[in-house]
Amino acid sequence: MTVTETRPGGAGVLDSSAPAAQPGGVRGAPDAGPRSVGTADHKRLGLVLLGTSTLLLILGIVMGELLQAQLAAPDTNVVGSRYGELLSLHATATAVLFLGPFWLGLATYILPLQIGTARLALPRLHAFATWLYVVGGVVFLASYLAGTPSHGGITLSQPWAAVQGLSRADRAATSLWIGGLFLVGLASVLASGDLIVTMLKLRAPGMTLARVPLFSWASFATSSVVVLATPVFLGGLTLLYLDQRYGGTFFSPSNKAGVAVWQHTIWLFGRPEAFVLLLPGLGAAGDIVSTHFRRPLVDLTTARAALIAFAGLSFAVWAAGPGRASAAVVLPTSTWLTALTAGPVAVSVLLWLASGRGGPLAGAVLLLALGAGAAIIAPAARVRAGTAWSTGQLHVVLFGAPTLLALGAVHHWAPKLFGRRLSTALGVLQLLLVLGGFAVVGVAEYVLGYRHMPWHVDSYARHSLRALHGLAAAGGGMVLLGMLLFALSSLAAAWRRSDAPGDPYQGMTLEWATTSPPPPANFDALPEIRSAQPLADLRAAQAGPAGGAA
Amino acid sequence: MTATTAATPALPSGAPSRPRNVATLAVLILALGGMMAFAALIAAYRALAHYQSLPPKGVKLDNYLGVMTTFTLVLSAPLVEWAWSAVRRDERRQAIAALGLTIGMGIAFVDLDWYLVSRLGFGVATPYGTVFYAMVILAGINAGVGILFLLGALLRVLGGQASGSEPEPVRVVGWYWEFVVVAWVLVALTLYPIVK
């Protein structure tokens, strides 16, 4: 069925075979190359964030593989004395520099489309934040070239060690490390603030908050958490910088207040930060399910409430015992309050399952179930904190599941991002590699933890653990292969000519009411918005008398 | 099968007119984030006070200087409100005067802040010194950013880009400046035990 829009040349709102923006024309994706430097177009900025964070992730996984190579056998020496340094780089690059900015990039691209606006509220501020993130990432990486910045531990749990008795090179490296993290944090706050304003002020007429799609809601909730939690960390980094650069003593071990302040700083920033890595994925999954099964989630209000509850609980876990804050971000299920966060996740998963089932979502659900199972088994098995079990839990729950959801989201929105759909066959392969890789890593590390293998150590004595370490390395390799495949297929799609129709899925939300990729102003015309599924409403209206006549 | 829907309900889009109060809301949200950073530092100070008496023995703060610095900044708050009021009433000359005076008071505050730091008589080498300097310097930087915003607003008024029909540029800057004032007042109340 061909449907002509009201404005000639406009986006074919209902025409699933509507041509791409420039059929047979230029490359599919909005340019994310050098010409993006001066742009304030949310689409280009989103691609810059997505591309940079993916590069940093691949770097982080390579570091992880080097760490695993070090543990291949009890007497192996691959990275020598730089194990702690690489561990710090691996953890930060994957968790802080990849997932958060990756979701931010996707929200930067998709949120304006979902709420029916042509641009971000403060595009120049957002552009500034985007490049601040890129510069911050470069400064952060440069710190590892300048020296050893990781004397304070993987989560900087001993800040005094990061400032005291360092060589000149290590002091410079630590300054760069603090500066890089500060810039990345500041960039996150500025960009998140802009997303909040965009969501609140630039919605299309008729797009009430109750009609905003779930991914935008999740991005809004995530941005709110980032705006409230990250400045606390920036305040702590300021104190640390004064100690490190100007000889301050706030974090000296003799100052009990300093130790408590740092624990609370990490706790108040790190806990929400760790939890909100999953939050946008929950929203994206809701949209993916409802789009591909062509019906809204069974209870949209509950789905939204679950997202908000999850964001709120991510803050509440701060109250769950700062006495355990030395372990800070690394024990996701250590208290009853943190365990409560499983509630909204479970509600979201049940809503997806009630509405439909899908590959990447099923993968993420499997990983979450694996993590939940491990958390339940752990007390019975008397697994101690600070063992490889915690590393497994981190890899599976806090990193694996959100990463799978992120890949699923990019596959889902690829027509908008790149002007083409990504290859389904390669997508299945990526799913198998990444899901399988994380599962293998997780299971190997759970068993290692059960056998009292401590985490964050560069050697071990028992030869009997060798096979398990080999298994973890193989799992990491699978994840690396999957992510490389994802990056290459995304690059190929962005490079090739766009051929995706405007609405390849018969979607219901506004991002499908424009061409793929969207034109600079996003929409030529918008359908009237009378519910959370404006395109479905429009289809129903057109299938009425006119459809019958036809 | 072809169906033409000339009567498809559609809304104009593309580049809609800019909604009101966007920048104001942005400043409020980012100021909230800024407040969290100041709250973290104030909490650090309070935590320190839990373990030792503050200010420590041997440290004598110049309350007069602290109060004068605070007064200088607090007095700039009504000036920036005056500027916004003048812009709304299309009183361009008044707006220019009010913004100019606010900038002057802001520069005076930064100068006093710098003078205050230079006369402290203690360095960052103690935990108290570290957190004291962090708060005072951050407040000074915050005011510096505010002054740049005020200059931008002044230029927009001079260039006719802020007027009764378009007062938002001045209001946004006004809100940011109020944030600068409130943040400093909280810092000053924390650092200077005037009430005691």
Side-chain angles (χ1 to χ4, degrees):
Chain A
M1 183 174 76
T2 304
V3 178
T4 313
E5 247 302 337
T6 46
R7 287 174 60 177
V13 173
L14 280 184
D15 186 355
S16 60
S17 62
Q22 291 160 304
V26 294
R27 283 178 293 156
D31 194 346
R35 276 181 293 172
S36 294
V37 171
T39 187
D41 180 5
H42 71 96
K43 297 181 287 295
R44 288 186 181 188
L45 295 176
L47 289 178
V48 168
L49 283 166
L50 289 170
T52 311
S53 55
T54 304
L55 272 179
L56 288 168
L57 168 72
I58 290 171
L59 177 75
I61 300 177
V62 170
M63 296 299 123
E65 281 302 281
L66 284 175
L67 296 173
Q68 285 296 345
Q70 169 78 15
L71 298 172
D75 49 358
T76 310
N77 188 5
V78 176
V79 296
S81 60
R82 306 204 82 174
Y83 185 87
E85 197 178 330
L86 290 180
L87 182 62
S88 163
L89 179 55
H90 164 69
T92 318
T94 48
V96 180
L97 300 182
F98 163 61
L99 259 176
F102 190 91
W103 285 125
L104 192 63
L106 200 59
T108 298
Y109 199 112
I110 298 296
L111 187 143
L113 295 174
Q114 285 199 323
I115 63 172
T117 181
R119 60 180 184 84
L120 293 160
L122 302 159
R124 277 172 289 188
L125 180 75
H126 211 97
F128 174 69
T130 299
W131 292 108
L132 201 62
Y133 159 71
V134 175
V135 170
V138 170
V139 169
F140 180 83
L141 293 180
S143 72
Y144 288 90
L145 297 176
T148 305
S150 54
H151 292 278
I154 178 174
T155 56
L156 209 62
S157 49
Q158 300 100 34
W160 188 242
V163 300
Q164 200 59 19
L166 303 182
S167 67
R168 189 185 172 92
D170 288 354
R171 281 187 65 181
T174 307
S175 290
L176 286 172
W177 193 89
I178 294 171
L181 272 187
F182 194 95
L183 294 181
V184 169
L186 186 61
S188 304
V189 172
L190 295 177
S192 298
D194 185 31
L195 286 179
I196 293 172
V197 180
T198 303
M199 165 98 163
L200 291 178
K201 301 299 287 188
L202 261 62
R203 297 189 312 278
M207 178 62 75
T208 61
L209 283 174
R211 294 172 182 169
V212 169
L214 281 179
F215 177 67
S216 293
W217 257 108
S219 301
F220 175 73
T222 305
S223 298
S224 305
V225 171
V226 168
V227 165
L228 289 174
T230 306
V232 175
F233 185 55
L234 299 185
L237 281 180
T238 305
L239 287 173
L240 188 65
Y241 185 73
L242 281 176
D243 271 14
Q244 196 266 334
R245 186 73 179 81
Y246 296 103
T249 55
F250 191 79
F251 292 119
S252 71
S254 60
N255 179 24
K256 289 179 184 172
V259 176
V261 165
W262 187 252
Q263 286 180 349
H264 280 277
T265 300
I266 289 287
W267 195 254
L268 191 53
F269 162 70
R271 299 317 296 272
E273 172 73 14
F275 283 98
V276 297
L277 294 180
L278 183 62
L279 185 53
L282 298 179
D287 282 352
I288 293 171
V289 167
S290 63
T291 301
H292 289 271
F293 290 89
R294 294 177 189 170
R295 56 171 182 259
L297 285 189
V298 290
D299 190 343
L300 207 52
T301 308
T302 305
R304 266 196 304 270
L307 294 178
I308 295 166
F310 189 75
L313 280 171
S314 73
F315 262 111
V317 293
W318 173 61
R324 307 181 72 170
S326 57
V329 293
V330 294
L331 293 173
T333 54
S334 62
T335 66
W336 65 269
L337 254 175
T338 51
L340 267 187
T341 56
V345 178
V347 169
S348 297
V349 170
L350 288 175
L351 285 170
W352 307 341
L353 294 178
S355 308
R357 294 161 187 79
L361 305 185
V365 171
L366 278 176
L367 283 185
L368 288 172
L370 181 62
I376 292 165
I377 293 168
R382 296 185 182 174
V383 175
R384 287 201 298 265
T387 63
W389 184 89
S390 300
T391 319
Q393 195 71 330
L394 270 178
H395 281 140
V396 169
V397 180
L398 287 188
F399 199 69
T403 301
L404 268 180
L405 289 171
L407 297 194
V410 169
H411 273 267
H412 171 65
W413 280 300
K416 296 299 156 195
L417 295 169
F418 310 123
R420 299 180 67 85
R421 294 180 72 167
L422 298 181
S423 157
T424 307
L426 286 179
V428 170
L429 190 57
Q430 288 161 33
L431 169 68
L432 293 175
L433 284 169
V434 177
L435 169 64
F438 275 119
V440 167
V441 168
V443 168
E445 286 173 341
Y446 288 144
V447 179
L448 280 168
Y450 179 71
R451 298 180 65 177
H452 308 301
M453 169 76 196
W455 69 344
H456 301 169
V457 292
D458 59 0
S459 62
Y460 55 97
R462 284 182 287 166
H463 281 267
S464 59
L465 301 180
R466 189 175 167 173
L468 286 168
H469 281 295
L471 201 59
M478 287 168 69
V479 175
L480 178 60
L481 270 181
M483 290 308 302
L484 280 173
L485 202 57
F486 164 74
L488 290 175
S489 62
S490 299
L491 268 180
W495 190 256
R496 292 166 69 189
R497 298 176 194 286
S498 49
D499 66 354
D503 182 9
Y505 310 127
Q506 295 283 297
M508 295 181 288
T509 42
L510 286 183
E511 71 268 33
W512 306 111
T514 184
T515 54
S516 299
N522 287 348
F523 301 96
D524 289 325
L526 283 171
E528 191 176 357
I529 301 161
R530 288 174 294 188
S531 76
Q533 299 87 35
L535 295 198
D537 293 346
L538 191 53
R539 261 183 230 113
Q542 290 176 343
Chain B
M1 185 172 65
T2 301
T4 303
T5 56
T8 299
L11 296 165
S13 182
S17 61
R18 188 184 171 95
R20 296 170 68 84
N21 305 329
V22 165
T24 306
L25 182 64
V27 162
L28 288 176
I29 288 169
L30 294 178
L32 184 64
M35 273 298 178
M36 290 297 286
F38 277 105
L41 293 177
I42 290 170
Y45 183 92
R46 294 283 175 214
L48 195 61
H50 183 70
Y51 290 100
Q52 59 178 272
S53 145
L54 294 182
K57 282 180 184 171
V59 171
K60 188 163 169 44
L61 289 174
D62 188 343
N63 268 333
Y64 175 74
L65 193 53
V67 169
M68 287 311 294
T69 308
T70 306
F71 267 135
T72 304
L73 197 58
V74 168
L75 284 176
S76 71
L79 289 175
V80 82
E81 291 301 317
W82 175 30
W84 181 43
S85 165
V87 166
R88 276 192 305 169
R89 289 181 283 110
D90 270 332
E91 297 279 1
R92 189 164 166 270
R93 290 180 63 180
Q94 278 193 34
I96 292 169
L99 282 171
L101 282 170
T102 312
I103 291 168
M105 297 290 266
I107 291 172
F109 166 77
V110 173
D111 186 45
L112 278 168
D113 191 50
W114 184 254
Y115 182 64
L116 181 153
V117 167
S118 68
R119 281 173 54 96
L120 278 176
F122 58 88
V124 295
T126 62
Y128 172 75
T130 309
V131 74
F132 192 103
Y133 274 85
M135 280 200 268
V136 171
I137 291 173
L138 203 61
I141 292 171
N142 197 26
V145 173
I147 289 169
L148 288 178
F149 285 170
L150 285 167
L151 278 169
L154 178 62
L155 288 175
R156 293 190 82 159
V157 172
L158 286 169
Q161 293 174 0
S163 59
S165 57
E166 189 65 35
E168 198 180 15
V170 177
R171 182 165 63 166
V172 168
V173 170
W175 276 112
Y176 190 83
W177 193 251
E178 301 296 359
F179 158 59
V180 170
V181 174
V182 171
W184 171 257
V185 168
L186 291 176
V187 165
L189 285 175
T190 305
L191 296 179
Y192 287 88
I194 301 162
V195 179
K196 289 177 187 174

